[in-house]
Amino acid sequence: MQQVVIIGASHGGAEAAIALRTQGWEGKILLVGDEPTLPYQRPPLSKGYFHQAVTDQQLLIKKPSLYEKAKVEVMLGESVTAIDKVNKSISLASGLSISFDYLIIATGARARKLSIPGSDLSCINYLRTLADADKIISQVNAKSHLLVVGAGYIGLEIAASASKLGAKVTVLESFPRVLSRVTNEQMSEFYQNLHAQHGVDIKLNSGVTEFRRSGERYVAVLPDGEELTFDSAVIGIGVIPNIELAELAGLECENGIVVDNKTMTSEPGIFAIGDVSNHPNPFYQRQIRLESVPNAMEQAKVAAATICGKEKTHDAFPWFWSDQFDVKLQTAGLSQGYDSTVIRGDIAAKKFALFYLKEGKVIAVDAINSPKDFMKAKMLIPTGISIPESKLADTSSDWFE
């Protein structure tokens, strides 16, 4: 009997396993994960799970009974050490060798590490797994001082969640503004003000050159010589796609594992999905790698359909979200390359949409507590819609009419 092996018990891995069965795959399905738990949602780790609004059981992507019903074999706590594309097999750290007819790589990404004196101290944390989250949460309380290095979405979400628990929070950002890689100056200023209103101290144009222990606490040395005393730290300076297995197997890799619009790698029968895949995007007409749950889920369905002999291509439009304090951000599209922006709504009221345009066409939107604008943008931007800036800004009428 033929077998599909999935490496990575992630959003994409779990979705691919179930999608294979619903798409009609009658052979074996094996899902291999290196963590001891069933696939779980990762976004809540920096939000709802952090401040105890979500339990570990609520994090599970699929109930255990669903894997049993779909006859998906789940192998947890097992690390894959090699892929043999010639003999179609994978090797595990435990010494086992498993054959496959089709392989789906859903290995995701890992946190980028700091490499400075003291970066190996026990107070230094990175957030990627449930175990990471539990360790961080155990160190945060109303009497503690949390230091966050990096003001991207993960860093700011952790800062907001820790602040909700009553902790003192300081954020260090090496760039002149927060979220500088993904949004414009107005949105950066909005988030800087939001965090300041909740007592979060953000230090821009700043980083850290050394960590050291000081009695029962720790000290971070900043580039200008300033010393900050803190109790625990979280580093959020980006991620690195886990491509090592693919590289060793001889698959084409460049900022991820390169795949086509069916999520197939350079080797027929081997697929890559989720954060680790670098795939073509028809709207932006280039290869992109997305750190996005919706993208992983859609790619999983495409890989499953392709394996089952069905015609399906991946052309989903990218979208993201972030929750911080009383603000929900919903982003549709990628803003890189914009030449103008338009604000629709009231920034002070925390209800507005920021549209990014290129040559008159809307290419992305950041919607703050404005789900209607987000939903319409998500549908209309892929059509290449051009809308006068005056109409986008006019809140007296719907811009999409």
XYZ file of all heavy atoms in Angstrom, residues 13-72:
471
model
N 1.061 20.611 8.384
C 1.152 19.160 8.473
C -0.168 18.525 8.870
O -0.614 17.536 8.271
N -0.826 19.086 9.878
C -2.113 18.552 10.337
C -3.181 18.688 9.258
O -3.954 17.759 9.002
C -2.561 19.270 11.607
N -3.218 19.842 8.621
C -4.216 20.076 7.577
C -3.992 19.144 6.397
O -4.946 18.601 5.823
C -4.152 21.535 7.111
C -5.196 21.916 6.076
C -6.612 21.886 6.623
O -6.781 22.027 7.847
O -7.557 21.720 5.815
N -2.722 18.930 6.012
C -2.415 18.047 4.885
C -2.852 16.615 5.175
O -3.398 15.924 4.298
C -0.919 18.092 4.580
N -2.616 16.162 6.396
C -2.973 14.787 6.762
C -4.473 14.532 6.597
O -4.889 13.529 6.000
C -2.547 14.505 8.201
N -5.296 15.440 7.112
C -6.749 15.266 7.025
C -7.235 15.514 5.599
O -8.123 14.805 5.100
C -7.463 16.197 8.017
C -6.973 15.934 9.449
C -8.965 16.025 7.923
C -7.139 14.509 9.923
N -6.637 16.517 4.933
C -7.051 16.831 3.567
C -6.782 15.676 2.616
O -7.561 15.428 1.684
C -6.330 18.088 3.073
N -5.712 14.947 2.829
C -5.417 13.779 1.991
C -6.571 12.789 2.029
O -7.003 12.267 0.993
C -4.133 13.097 2.472
C -2.813 13.700 2.003
C -1.664 13.185 2.857
C -2.565 13.371 0.524
N -7.079 12.549 3.225
C -8.154 11.570 3.357
C -9.446 12.098 2.726
O -10.158 11.365 2.029
C -8.363 11.241 4.833
C -9.060 9.934 5.054
C -8.303 8.740 4.464
N -7.244 8.207 5.299
C -6.272 7.420 4.849
N -6.206 7.085 3.563
N -5.327 6.961 5.664
N -9.758 13.365 2.960
C -10.996 13.917 2.402
C -10.914 14.051 0.886
O -11.945 14.042 0.203
C -11.312 15.292 3.024
O -10.222 16.197 2.794
C -11.539 15.171 4.525
N -9.690 14.171 0.355
C -9.518 14.266 -1.101
C -9.537 12.891 -1.769
O -9.495 12.796 -2.985
C -8.194 14.978 -1.430
C -8.164 16.454 -1.099
C -8.953 17.302 -2.090
O -9.358 16.836 -3.142
N -9.181 18.560 -1.744
N -9.564 11.844 -0.963
C -9.705 10.512 -1.530
C -8.493 9.607 -1.461
O -8.492 8.511 -2.039
N -7.457 10.008 -0.741
C -6.277 9.150 -0.610
C -6.633 7.902 0.199
O -7.146 7.988 1.306
C -5.146 9.909 0.080
C -3.894 9.088 0.276
C -3.463 8.531 1.443
C -2.935 8.725 -0.710
N -2.292 7.853 1.243
C -1.930 7.950 -0.081
C -2.809 8.981 -2.075
C -0.833 7.434 -0.751
C -1.713 8.465 -2.757
C -0.743 7.704 -2.100
N -6.352 6.727 -0.379
C -6.720 5.470 0.273
C -5.532 4.749 0.894
O -5.704 3.716 1.557
C -7.409 4.552 -0.746
C -8.737 5.120 -1.246
C -9.422 4.206 -2.241
O -8.780 3.226 -2.691
O -10.593 4.466 -2.584
N -4.328 5.278 0.682
C -3.145 4.636 1.238
C -2.870 5.065 2.664
O -3.718 5.644 3.350
N -1.666 4.779 3.116
C -1.264 5.134 4.482
C -0.884 6.613 4.564
O -0.403 7.206 3.594
C -0.075 4.280 4.924
C -0.370 2.791 5.035
C 0.888 2.042 5.477
C 0.623 0.547 5.616
N 1.846 -0.181 6.028
N -1.073 7.185 5.729
C -0.656 8.571 6.008
C 0.091 8.558 7.330
O -0.440 8.121 8.356
C -1.858 9.526 6.112
C -2.700 9.498 4.826
C -1.378 10.952 6.410
C -4.020 10.247 4.951
N 1.326 9.050 7.311
C 2.137 9.126 8.528
C 2.551 10.566 8.765
O 3.156 11.193 7.893
C 3.387 8.248 8.411
C 4.405 8.368 9.553
C 3.788 7.917 10.876
C 5.671 7.561 9.239
N 2.219 11.092 9.934
C 2.585 12.451 10.330
C 3.660 12.360 11.410
O 3.425 11.796 12.480
C 1.350 13.189 10.860
C 1.538 14.607 11.396
C 2.039 15.549 10.311
C 0.210 15.122 11.980
N 4.839 12.911 11.129
C 5.971 12.835 12.052
C 6.255 14.224 12.624
O 6.448 15.185 11.875
C 7.236 12.311 11.344
C 8.387 12.184 12.342
C 6.964 10.977 10.662
N 6.282 14.326 13.958
C 6.574 15.599 14.607
C 7.624 15.451 15.688
O 7.668 14.429 16.376
N 8.467 16.464 15.850
C 9.546 16.345 16.840
C 9.142 16.814 18.234
O 9.899 16.651 19.190
C 10.801 17.088 16.366
C 10.563 18.570 16.116
O 9.443 19.049 16.379
O 11.495 19.236 15.640
N 7.940 17.384 18.375
C 7.438 17.749 19.698
C 6.585 16.608 20.246
O 6.049 15.802 19.488
C 6.629 19.043 19.629
C 7.459 20.278 19.296
C 6.627 21.544 19.320
O 6.119 21.893 20.408
O 6.462 22.164 18.259
N 6.395 16.551 21.561
C 5.635 15.435 22.161
C 4.124 15.622 22.108
O 3.390 14.759 22.576
C 6.127 15.439 23.613
C 6.490 16.855 23.882
C 7.048 17.385 22.593
N 3.651 16.743 21.546
C 2.223 17.037 21.534
C 1.654 16.983 20.118
O 2.373 17.166 19.137
C 1.950 18.430 22.116
O 2.688 19.404 21.358
C 2.387 18.515 23.553
N 0.343 16.751 20.037
C -0.346 16.811 18.752
C -0.247 18.228 18.183
O -0.013 19.189 18.935
C -1.817 16.430 18.926
C -2.126 14.943 19.153
C -3.589 14.768 19.528
C -1.781 14.127 17.916
N -0.417 18.374 16.871
C -0.323 19.713 16.255
C -1.230 20.722 16.952
O -2.395 20.428 17.235
C -0.772 19.453 14.819
C -0.400 18.035 14.562
C -0.653 17.323 15.864
N -0.683 21.898 17.228
C -1.428 22.923 17.937
C -1.245 24.279 17.268
O -0.315 24.490 16.491
C -0.983 22.998 19.406
C 0.497 23.259 19.588
C 0.996 24.556 19.643
C 1.402 22.197 19.696
C 2.358 24.795 19.804
C 2.764 22.433 19.862
C 3.232 23.735 19.901
O 4.579 23.969 20.055
N -2.139 25.192 17.596
C -2.083 26.545 17.049
C -0.944 27.317 17.722
O -0.855 27.350 18.940
C -3.395 27.272 17.295
C -4.612 26.589 16.702
C -5.877 27.297 17.099
O -6.102 28.451 16.727
N -6.720 26.632 17.873
N -0.142 27.954 16.920
C 0.977 28.724 17.466
C 0.678 30.214 17.692
O 1.202 30.793 18.649
C 2.220 28.561 16.579
C 2.709 27.117 16.561
C 3.935 26.922 15.693
N 4.203 25.497 15.521
C 4.927 24.753 16.337
N 5.472 25.295 17.409
N 5.113 23.472 16.102
N -0.132 30.867 16.857
C -0.405 32.295 17.094
C -0.884 32.634 18.500
O -0.441 33.645 19.066
C -1.464 32.624 16.026
C -1.134 31.712 14.900
C -0.725 30.417 15.568
N -1.758 31.829 19.135
C -2.208 32.194 20.486
C -1.114 32.149 21.551
O -1.320 32.656 22.660
C -3.296 31.149 20.795
C -3.755 30.662 19.464
C -2.526 30.673 18.616
N 0.033 31.547 21.247
C 1.091 31.444 22.258
C 1.551 32.820 22.735
O 1.942 32.982 23.893
C 2.290 30.664 21.704
C 2.045 29.195 21.340
C 3.341 28.563 20.831
C 1.501 28.411 22.529
N 1.515 33.805 21.841
C 1.938 35.154 22.238
C 0.754 36.031 22.621
O 0.937 37.190 22.990
C 2.702 35.825 21.085
O 1.892 35.900 19.914
N -0.451 35.466 22.569
C -1.651 36.267 22.829
C -2.536 35.574 23.866
O -2.246 35.625 25.056
C -2.396 36.496 21.503
C -1.552 37.237 20.456
C -2.333 37.538 19.200
C -2.336 36.370 18.219
N -1.037 36.213 17.539
N -3.605 34.917 23.411
C -4.580 34.332 24.341
C -4.010 33.335 25.320
O -4.355 33.341 26.505
N -3.128 32.461 24.868
C -2.540 31.466 25.773
C -1.648 32.140 26.806
O -1.586 31.713 27.958
C -1.732 30.448 24.966
C -1.161 29.324 25.816
C -1.978 28.303 26.294
C 0.192 29.287 26.139
C -1.472 27.278 27.080
C 0.716 28.266 26.919
C -0.122 27.274 27.388
O 0.401 26.263 28.173
N -0.975 33.200 26.393
C -0.039 33.909 27.273
C -0.769 34.479 28.493
O -0.284 34.362 29.611
C 0.645 35.038 26.495
C 1.930 35.528 27.113
C 3.154 35.227 26.534
C 1.924 36.289 28.266
C 4.343 35.686 27.088
C 3.105 36.745 28.834
C 4.319 36.436 28.241
N -1.944 35.088 28.253
C -2.665 35.647 29.412
C -3.863 34.787 29.796
O -4.866 35.265 30.326
C -3.060 37.108 29.188
C -3.667 37.420 27.854
N -4.953 37.145 27.540
C -3.111 37.996 26.747
C -5.206 37.543 26.308
N -4.107 38.051 25.803
N -3.761 33.471 29.523
C -4.650 32.442 30.063
C -6.098 32.557 29.593
O -7.017 32.085 30.272
C -4.580 32.450 31.597
C -3.165 32.191 32.107
C -3.034 32.375 33.606
O -3.859 33.010 34.227
N -1.970 31.830 34.180
N -6.311 33.138 28.423
C -7.648 33.167 27.840
C -7.892 31.915 27.000
O -9.038 31.623 26.633
C -7.823 34.415 26.975
N -6.823 31.176 26.700
C -6.885 29.952 25.898
C -6.109 28.863 26.629
O -5.005 29.101 27.122
C -6.276 30.174 24.493
C -6.276 28.873 23.701
C -7.040 31.256 23.736
N -6.676 27.661 26.717
C -5.993 26.547 27.388
C -5.182 25.735 26.382
O -5.358 25.870 25.169
C -7.005 25.612 28.062
O -7.794 24.956 27.044
C -7.935 26.395 28.992
N -4.329 24.853 26.888
C -3.526 24.028 25.997
C -4.400 23.092 25.166
O -4.092 22.794 24.009
C -2.462 23.244 26.774
C -3.039 22.411 27.903
O -4.268 22.479 28.146
O -2.260 21.681 28.541
N -5.511 22.629 25.729
C -6.414 21.760 24.963
C -7.117 22.524 23.843
O -7.380 21.978 22.775
C -7.453 21.127 25.897
C -6.887 20.058 26.813
C -6.233 18.924 26.032
O -6.866 18.288 25.190
N -4.952 18.676 26.295
N -7.408 23.786 24.109
C -8.041 24.617 23.078
C -7.065 24.963 21.953
O -7.486 25.353 20.864
C -8.594 25.904 23.704
C -9.798 25.676 24.597
C -10.217 26.921 25.343
O -9.389 27.698 25.834
N -11.521 27.146 25.456
N -5.781 24.801 22.191
C -4.779 25.066 21.158
C -4.754 24.000 20.070
O -4.331 24.274 18.943
C -3.379 25.151 21.782
C -3.039 26.365 22.641
C -1.628 26.212 23.207
C -3.129 27.658 21.833
N -5.190 22.790 20.394
C -5.093 21.687 19.440
C -5.829 22.007 18.146
O -6.981 22.457 18.148
C -5.656 20.408 20.041
C -4.885 19.807 21.224
C -5.579 18.553 21.727
C -3.445 19.499 20.825
N -5.152 21.780 17.019
C -5.741 22.069 15.710
C -6.835 21.066 15.379
O -7.896 21.428 14.865
C -4.641 22.047 14.629
C -3.618 23.156 14.906
C -5.245 22.217 13.238
C -2.377 23.068 14.046
N -6.593 19.804 15.649
C -7.574 18.736 15.435
C -7.663 17.898 16.713
O -6.664 17.705 17.404
C -7.161 17.818 14.278
C -6.702 18.525 13.005
C -7.853 19.073 12.203
C -7.352 19.648 10.872
N -8.444 20.315 10.126
N -8.842 17.382 17.000
C -9.004 16.487 18.142
C -8.327 15.148 17.856
O -8.271 14.710 16.702
C -10.488 16.274 18.440
C -11.200 17.533 18.931
C -12.658 17.233 19.232
C -13.368 18.480 19.750
N -14.808 18.216 20.030
N -7.808 14.483 18.874
C -7.160 13.184 18.670
C -8.037 12.196 17.904
O -7.543 11.432 17.073
C -6.894 12.704 20.104
C -6.791 13.954 20.916
C -7.753 14.905 20.291
N -9.342 12.225 18.173
C -10.253 11.280 17.521
C -10.318 11.480 16.009
O -10.601 10.542 15.262
C -11.657 11.414 18.109
O -12.151 12.742 17.949
N -10.042 12.710 15.559
C -10.115 12.986 14.124
C -8.991 12.286 13.369
O -9.192 11.779 12.263
C -10.064 14.494 13.878
C -10.387 14.964 12.454
C -11.753 14.457 12.016
C -10.349 16.489 12.364
N -7.793 12.239 13.975
C -6.678 11.525 13.339
C -6.996 10.028 13.270
O -6.707 9.364 12.268
C -5.384 11.753 14.116
C -4.933 13.194 14.162
C -5.142 13.975 15.299
C -4.305 13.787 13.069
C -4.744 15.295 15.353
C -3.896 15.115 13.109
C -4.126 15.861 14.256
O -3.719 17.176 14.296
N -7.608 9.520 14.343
C -7.976 8.105 14.376
C -9.030 7.794 13.320
O -8.929 6.795 12.592
C -8.509 7.737 15.772
C -7.468 7.865 16.873
C -8.067 7.663 18.252
O -9.255 7.261 18.333
O -7.365 7.921 19.252
N -10.031 8.660 13.228
C -11.102 8.450 12.259
C -10.566 8.483 10.827
O -11.023 7.710 9.972
C -12.177 9.522 12.448
C -13.383 9.356 11.545
C -14.422 10.433 11.828
C -15.628 10.280 10.900
N -16.652 11.335 11.151
N -9.601 9.377 10.570
C -9.032 9.513 9.235
C -7.910 8.497 8.987
O -7.294 8.504 7.919
C -8.500 10.928 9.028
N -7.651 7.661 9.977
C -6.585 6.658 9.883
C -5.233 7.301 9.550
O -4.517 6.868 8.650
C -6.941 5.594 8.845
C -8.166 4.766 9.229
C -8.474 3.705 8.199
C -9.714 2.891 8.612
N -10.057 1.847 7.618
N -4.936 8.338 10.302
C -3.639 9.015 10.196
C -2.767 8.526 11.350
O -3.129 8.684 12.519
C -3.786 10.551 10.271
C -2.414 11.224 10.318
C -4.596 11.064 9.085
